[in-house]
Amino acid sequence: MTRPGRLTRRRLAASALLAPGAAAAERLEVPPGMREQGAPLDATSYGLPAPTEQGVRRRSRPGREYQPILGTAGSIVTPLGDLDGIVTPNGLHFIRCHAGIPAIAPEQHRLLVHGLVERPLVFSMDQLRRFPTVSRLHFLECSGNSPLYRTARIRPDWTAQDTHGLLSCAEWTGLRLADLLAEVGVRPEARWMLAEGADAAGMTRSIPVAKALDDAMLCWAQNGEALRPEQGYPLRLFLPGYEGNTNVKWLRRLKLAAEPFMTREETSRYTGLLPDGTARQFNFTMHVKSVITRPSGGQSMGAPGFREISGIAWSGFGAIRRVEVSVDGGATWRDAALQDPVLPKCLTRFRLPWQWDGQPALLASRATDETGAVQPSREALLAEVGEWFTYHYNAILAWKVTENGTVQLAV
Amino acid sequence: MTRPGRLTRRRLAASALLAPGAAAAERLEVPPGMREQGAPLDATSYGLPAPTEQGVRRRSRPGREYQPILGTAGSIVTPLGDLDGIVTPNGLHFIRCHAGIPAIAPEQHRLLVHGLVERPLVFSMDQLRRFPTVSRLHFLECSGNSPLYRTARIRPDWTAQDTHGLLSCAEWTGLRLADLLAEVGVRPEARWMLAEGADAAGMTRSIPVAKALDDAMLCWAQNGEALRPEQGYPLRLFLPGYEGNTNVKWLRRLKLAAEPFMTREETSRYTGLLPDGTARQFNFTMHVKSVITRPSGGQSMGAPGFREISGIAWSGFGAIRRVEVSVDGGATWRDAALQDPVLPKCLTRFRLPWQWDGQPALLASRATDETGAVQPSREALLAEVGEWFTYHYNAILAWKVTENGTVQLAV
C-alpha cells in the first residue's frame, strides 16, 4: 500500500535536531526509586493507571454537566487529546446511557429472538458463547459526537475530548449475528429487526436485516475481557460503522419484521432535522471524519522546533485511504503517513512531521475513505444539512496555534 | 492470504444446531433492571470491570505465592483462559519485577545516552515526546513463561493462566530508538547497548545495536494511555519479539559499547543451562508458540455438541503463518482459521469448529511462523535442551478433556 508522507530518515535529517533542548551530560542523579525496594505486586486488584495520570479521565462535555430532566441519561467522553495509537482502554471508553447502567447477572440474562422467524428461541449467555466467535477492531461513535453545528455555542477552549470524545475504539469479540439468525430461520418477508436493551429506557432501534446478515455481531468482550457494565454487560449488539445508539447494550430481544418499528429513539431522537422542516431518518452509517489530537485544544506547544502532528481518522463505510494535513488553515495540504494496520471501520492513526517556527498556525486534517468520500468543509456541511441537524457532524476541524503557543478550537 | 480452515456457512450447517439447548419461547420475564433507573455515569473514576468478573484477575503462579528471599521480586500472570481476541487490557497485563514497582514523577525522569556516541545527551520526557512516534501491536512474553521443563513439578490442575500467563499483548506507542540514536551519533565500533532501569534492582541488560537500530522503541504508552507503573512508567525499552526482561522498564540509561556488559541478569539469570553443563547466553528472541485457551485447564465442557476450539499463537521471529489443531493428542491435525489482522510479533487468535461427542479427548495446537519454524513436541524440545534449561519453553501443549467434561493439563 502507498504510504504518502511516510517519515524518512532523510526527511528527518533535513529537519535538523528533533530534541533541541536535550542536555549534554555524562552523569545522572540516582533517583530515590533506586535506593529502596519498590511497591510489591498486587495479585488481588484490577490494575489502575499511575496516580500522576489522574487528569486522564472521562468527563461530561461542557454545558452537559447537569441534566435534571434526563435523570440518569447522559454521556461522558474519552480524553482523545491524551491518548496515542488507536486502542481506547476500557476504563476510558466513552459512555452514553439513556437510563443509567443496569446491574445484570450473566447467568440470569436471556436473549429472545422472535417475530418473522421459523423457530423463535431464547438463548442463555452459555448458549450464545458456544457459537463460533469473531474478534474485530472497530471504532464506536455516538451520532451526536462533535456538537459543532450551532456556531453560537462553540467555545474556543474546547478540547478534542469535548469536540470528538464520544468516540472510542476497541477489539470486540462475540458471535456473528448471521449465525444466530440462521439458527432461528429468518422468513423471506423480514426486512427489519428490532433490537431491545434490558435497561430502564427499554432502548430500542430498528435495524435493516441486510446489516444484521452482513457484519453485525453480538458481543460479550471488549479488548479481550468481558464488556464493561456501561458497555452493555453481558451482551450488546455491535454494528460496525453504524451510529453508537444502534449498537444496543444489555441486549435482550431481537424481533424480525417487514417494516421498521418507529420507536421513540428513531422518531423523536436520532433523526436529522433538515432546513426544509423534514427529517432524515435511519441515517445509520457514520461518515468519513478525522481530528488532530496532538497538538489539540488546551495543549501547549512548548519551544519552537520539531513537532509531530498526529491524529485519528475513521469512516463507517470502510477503511481510511488518505489523510491530508494543513498548517495554514487549508490553503495548502500535505499527505500524512497512515500507521499500520489500516483496518475497515476502525480508527487509523495519522502523523505528519512539522517544523514549528513559533508563529501562529491553523492546523486541520481532511480524511478520505475507501469509497472516495472526502471529509467536507464546515461551510459545505452546513449548506447541506443546516445548523439544526444535530447528528453526524463530520466537517474538517481546525486548531489554532496562538502567538503564546497555546492551542484553541478554531472550527 | 490463504485462510486454511476458515469456518464456512456450509461447514456450520453440516455441524447441525450450534446451540442445542436454546428454548423455544415467545415470552421473557421483565428483568429488575428495566423497572428502575440504572446507576449514574461516574465522570470522576477510572472505569472498572463488572463486580461479577472479579474472578478474572492476575495472580501468582502455583508455588510462587511466597518468595521471602526475593523480597518484592516476583510475577503475576494474565488470565488467558478468560480472555478473547488478542488485546490484553492494561489492568490484566502480566507483571514481572525484580525489586518492586518504583513511583516515578514523569517530570523528574531523565534518560542518559552515552558511551560510544558522538554526543552524549540527557533527555527529559517532554523532549522524548517530541520525536516522531510509532504505534504497534506486539506481544510481550517473559522468557520464563511456561514452567514445564521439569516433569515432576507439573500438576494436572494448572490452567492456561498458570502455564502461559507470563504473556500479554498490547498496542505500544513511543519513538523509534533508531531516531534517538541518530541524534547522539553511534560510533562505528559500538556493537552492544546497555539498558538500565530506574528500579532498585538497577535492572540491566546488553542489547545488540543491530536490534536497537531495527525495530526497537522507547515507549510511553500501552493501549493508548500512559504506561502502567508496573510496566515501566514513564518510559520503557520495547524490543519486539525479544524476551520480556530485555524490555527494560523505568528506562534511565543507554550506554553504547563494543562488547556486552555481562550483567547479573545475563550471567546468573536468563541464560539456559544445557545438558553438557554449558549455558546458552543472549538467547533473545521468543520462539514460535501457541496455546488453546478455550477449552483449557480448569474449564468445563458443558453438554456435548458444538464447541469452538480457540487459542493464541505468536513468534518473536515474525508473523504466524499456520496453526494446526488436534483433538486426538497429535494423531491427526486440522488447520485452524487465523483471525485478521495477522501481525508480526503479535498474538494471532486461531479457531477451529468442533463437534464434541462427549467422549474424552486430547486437544493440542501446533504453530508455524513465517520463517517456517514449527512448534516442537515436548520430547524434541527436552532432547535438545534438557530439563534444566528453564527459559524459552515453547513445546506443543495438550489439554485433556475427561469423561466428566472437566479439562486438565496433560502436557
Side-chain angles (χ1 to χ4, degrees), chain B residues 2 40 265 290 299 314 319:
Chain B
T2 308
E265 306 298 340
S290 68
Q299 298 176 2
W314 64 99

Side-chain angles (χ1 to χ4, degrees), chain B residues 326-330 354 359-364 398-401 408 410-411:
Chain B
S326 175
V327 297
D328 53 17
W354 181 40
Q359 297 302 305
L362 212 49
L363 312 182
W399 303 110
K400 184 164 85 178
V401 177
Q408 296 181 345
V411 190

Side-chain angles (χ1 to χ4, degrees), chain A residues 10 265 353:
Chain A
R10 198 166 44 157
E265 306 298 339

